[in-house]
């Protein structure tokens, strides 16, 4: 049975009333319903198909300076009464936190295009055909030896949030995405390539382009060998740039800063990057799949500049970390689901594009390395020192053009040195689901240590 927005809003109000009756001084109820589907194709047939639904409510209460949280799926009055007793009970045994509480600023921002009614027009059969078309497009390339994953997935969801200070709002959102992993070569020379597409409904996906991208990325690495070690200019493609930017997004979380888990902890206002690099977290971009009119605790959505003119402009705050720092929330409370309380997270990291196309970046690099894949980024970066050493593959840049494929490379530096070495940002941006929702572009770095043979 589909739950309506009215049902979700009513459940949230029931939860608030139950929390007050149970003894909460303040309360906040996040109620959501979502449906997700995934179709995995392999060798011209459907390998798996799943259709899953979720519905539930998370209740956060405050008793004095103590906070408690409980969640459940029974949205009836009895269900809310039980949830309220559990949340208040948890709060009464929690440690006091003078910074805990609801946000000072509550409200919504108009963000269009979050939900596409066209998603409902697509039958399961049409979605299956889309997944198969992605695979066919990848296999059509001579030299592709295997297509391991060809996946289509989508989701639609509704959210209602209310709190005891009178905030009550909701929204609907849809998303569709597809990806494909293709292989080229055989045995020890097997190389892989990934193709990705994101949209609000399947009609916004280009299955041929996704399959082609996977195949072309794999084929471009065929015959890759380990290059000589050296220091040289490096161009990161959009996939790799997004992975690094996503990692940096986690380090500008005020929670990471206050826990001493960020190398940027004492660098707000300082120069940490080249002026060419401008990065923001934007919850209002309709193209970003994490956009919403309000954050996970009811603060209005906004764009928060993170790096401007080479300086670290701001960290990302939710209500608690903002109160602790004597700052205002940046509307950066995220919700993984109703099962977890809100916490600081990025929405959509947006890299401002530069003027040069990829060819221009390669020409400017002269002789160097074009990195198309990195492995072990999250385990290979020290979040406190920012030093990293990660495996990579890609192409040599020879005379300003793409040259021989290379693999088994280690690229090493530290994040601040890397950010300061940015010489140019590419003009071609794309949404990439690596490291969160990131709108990335290729980056030209002046120099980096490349370890090979």
């Amino acid at each position: 049975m589909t739950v309506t927005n009215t049902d979700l809003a009513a459940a949230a109000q029931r939860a608030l009333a139950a929390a007050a009756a149970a003894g909460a001084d303040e309360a906040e109820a996040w109620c959501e319903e979502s449906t997700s589907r995934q179709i995995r194709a392999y060798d011209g047939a459907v390998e798996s198909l799943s259709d899953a639904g979720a519905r539930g409510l998370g209740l956060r209460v405050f008793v004095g300076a103590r906070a408690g949280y409980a969640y459940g799926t029974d949205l009836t009055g009895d269900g809310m009464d039980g949830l309220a007793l559990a949340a208040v009970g948890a709060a009464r045994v929690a440690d006091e936190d003078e910074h805990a509480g609801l946000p000072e600023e509550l409200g919504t921002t108009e963000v269009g295009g979050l939900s596409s009614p066209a998603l409902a027009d697509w039958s399961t059969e049409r979605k299956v055909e889309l997944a198969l078309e992605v695979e066919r497009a990848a296999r059509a390339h001579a030299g592709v030896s295997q297509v391991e994953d060809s996946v289509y997935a989508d989701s639609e969801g509704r959210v209602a949030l209310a709190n005891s200070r009178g905030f009550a709002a909701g929204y609907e959102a849809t998303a569709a995405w597809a990806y494909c992993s293709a292989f080229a070569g055989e045995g020890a020379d097997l190389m892989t390539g990934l193709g990705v597409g994101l949209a609000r409904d399947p009609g916004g996906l280009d299955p041929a382009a996704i399959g082609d991208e996977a195949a072309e990325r794999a084929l471009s690495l065929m015959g890759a060998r380990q290059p000589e070690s050296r220091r040289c200019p490096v161009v990161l493609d959009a996939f790799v740039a997004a992975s690094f930017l996503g990692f940096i997004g986690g380090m500008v979380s005020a929670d990471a800063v206050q826990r001493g888990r960020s190398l940027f902890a004492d660098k707000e206002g300082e120069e940490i990057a080249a002026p060419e690099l401008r990065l923001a977290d934007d919850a209002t971009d309709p193209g970003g799949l994490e956009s919403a009119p309000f954050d996970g605790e009811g603060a209005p959505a906004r764009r928060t500049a993170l790096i401007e003119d080479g300086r670290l402009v701001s960290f990302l705050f939710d209500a608690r970390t903002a109160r602790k720092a004597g700052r205002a929330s940046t509307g950066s409370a995220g919700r993984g689901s109703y099962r977890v309380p809100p916490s600081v997270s990025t929405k959509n990291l947006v890299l401002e594009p530069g003027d040069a196309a990829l060819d221009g970046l390669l020409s400017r690099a002269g002789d160097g390395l074009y990195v198309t894949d990195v492995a072990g980024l999250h385990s290979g970066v020290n979040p406190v020192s920012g030093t990293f050493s990660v495996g990579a593959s890609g192409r040599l840049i020879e005379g300003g053009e793409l040259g021989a494929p290379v693999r088994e490379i280690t690229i090493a530096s530290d994040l601040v040195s890397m950010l300061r070495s940015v010489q140019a940002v590419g003009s071609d941006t794309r949404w990439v689901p690596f490291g969160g929702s990131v709108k990335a572009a290729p980056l030209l770095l002046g120099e980096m240590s490349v370890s090979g043979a």
Side-chain angles (χ1 to χ4, degrees), residues 13 16 26-30 60 62 101-110 160-170 292-302 317-320 322-323 327-333 335 342:
Q13 293 298 333
L16 295 181
E26 290 193 298
E28 167 197 272
W30 172 277
R60 185 168 62 148
F62 301 95
L102 297 173
E104 305 299 330
E105 180 189 10
L106 296 163
T108 64
T109 301
E110 183 70 25
L161 176 65
N163 68 33
S164 53
R165 294 186 183 180
F167 177 86
F294 51 86
D295 76 350
E297 51 188 3
R302 70 202 72 188
F317 297 94
D318 63 358
R320 181 187 174 281
R323 204 169 281 122
R327 303 282 291 273
S329 169
T330 55
S332 302
R335 291 268 188 171

Side-chain angles (χ1 to χ4, degrees), residues 140 222 270 303 346:
M222 281 188 69
E270 294 186 10
R303 178 187 183 277
T346 58

Side-chain angles (χ1 to χ4, degrees), residues 86-323:
V88 170
R92 284 182 171 144
V93 298
D95 293 334
E96 288 193 352
D97 181 355
E98 61 180 313
H99 309 297
L102 297 173
E104 305 299 330
E105 180 189 10
L106 296 163
T108 64
T109 301
E110 183 70 25
V111 183
L114 298 181
S115 179
S116 171
L119 177 60
D121 298 334
W122 280 68
S123 65
T124 299
E125 290 75 14
R126 289 180 69 193
K127 295 172 184 175
V128 166
E129 180 54 30
L130 191 152
L132 293 172
E133 189 175 347
V134 170
E135 187 192 37
R136 284 195 297 270
R139 288 186 182 276
H141 288 255
V144 169
S145 53
Q146 185 60 279
V147 178
E148 186 65 25
D149 280 314
S150 179
V151 175
Y152 165 84
D154 63 42
S155 68
E156 54 187 324
R158 285 166 282 280
V159 164
L161 176 65
N163 68 33
S164 53
R165 294 186 183 180
F167 177 86
Y171 64 90
E172 299 181 24
T174 62
W177 61 98
Y179 64 88
C180 179
S181 179
F183 292 87
E186 300 288 347
D189 290 329
L190 194 67
M191 305 305 296
T192 183
L194 185 68
V196 178
L198 308 169
R200 289 290 178 187
D201 64 64
L205 301 176
D206 184 340
I210 296 166
D212 287 345
E213 180 175 45
E216 290 165 1
R217 289 176 72 92
L219 291 167
S220 72
L221 296 177
M222 281 188 69
R225 294 292 181 264
Q226 194 173 36
E228 296 291 324
S229 298
R230 57 175 169 157
R231 288 185 64 82
C232 62
V234 170
V235 176
L236 306 179
D237 82 348
F239 281 15
V240 177
S243 296
F244 275 104
L245 294 175
F247 195 87
I248 290 166
M251 298 177 77
V252 297
S253 154
D255 185 62
V257 169
Q258 292 170 1
R259 291 175 184 269
R261 298 290 296 167
S262 169
L263 84 148
F264 298 128
D266 57 352
K267 292 184 170 53
E268 191 174 19
E270 294 186 10
E271 182 181 317
I272 64 163
E276 287 79 5
L277 191 140
R278 292 175 287 275
L279 182 68
D281 189 43
D282 193 346
T284 66
D285 190 321
L289 295 186
E290 295 299 324
S291 292
F294 51 86
D295 76 350
E297 51 188 3
R302 70 202 72 188
R303 178 187 183 277
T304 302
L306 299 174
I307 300 175
E308 290 280 358
D309 298 325
R311 297 187 182 280
L312 177 60
V313 178
S314 176
F315 298 123
L316 297 174
F317 297 94
D318 63 358
R320 181 187 174 281
T321 54
R323 204 169 281 122

Side-chain angles (χ1 to χ4, degrees), residues 342-438:
S343 60
V344 181
S345 70
T346 58
K347 302 302 181 185
N348 306 296
L349 287 172
V350 177
L351 179 66
E352 188 170 320
D355 298 326
L358 178 59
D359 287 349
L361 298 182
L362 298 175
S363 176
R364 190 167 163 183
D367 293 307
L369 176 68
Y370 178 54
V371 180
T372 59
D373 185 58
V374 291
L377 179 61
H378 285 270
S379 60
V381 181
N382 184 317
V384 177
S385 67
T387 56
F388 64 85
S389 177
V390 296
S393 56
R395 305 273 296 275
L396 294 177
I397 304 171
E398 299 168 319
E401 297 181 353
L402 289 178
V406 290
R407 65 178 185 178
E408 298 175 358
I409 313 163
T410 299
I411 57 174
S413 184
D414 67 86
L415 290 175
V416 170
S417 296
M418 187 185 82
L419 293 174
R420 285 176 173 164
S421 72
V422 172
Q423 293 189 343
V425 178
S427 57
D428 298 323
T429 59
R430 64 179 293 180
W431 288 102
V432 181
F434 305 147
S437 174
V438 185

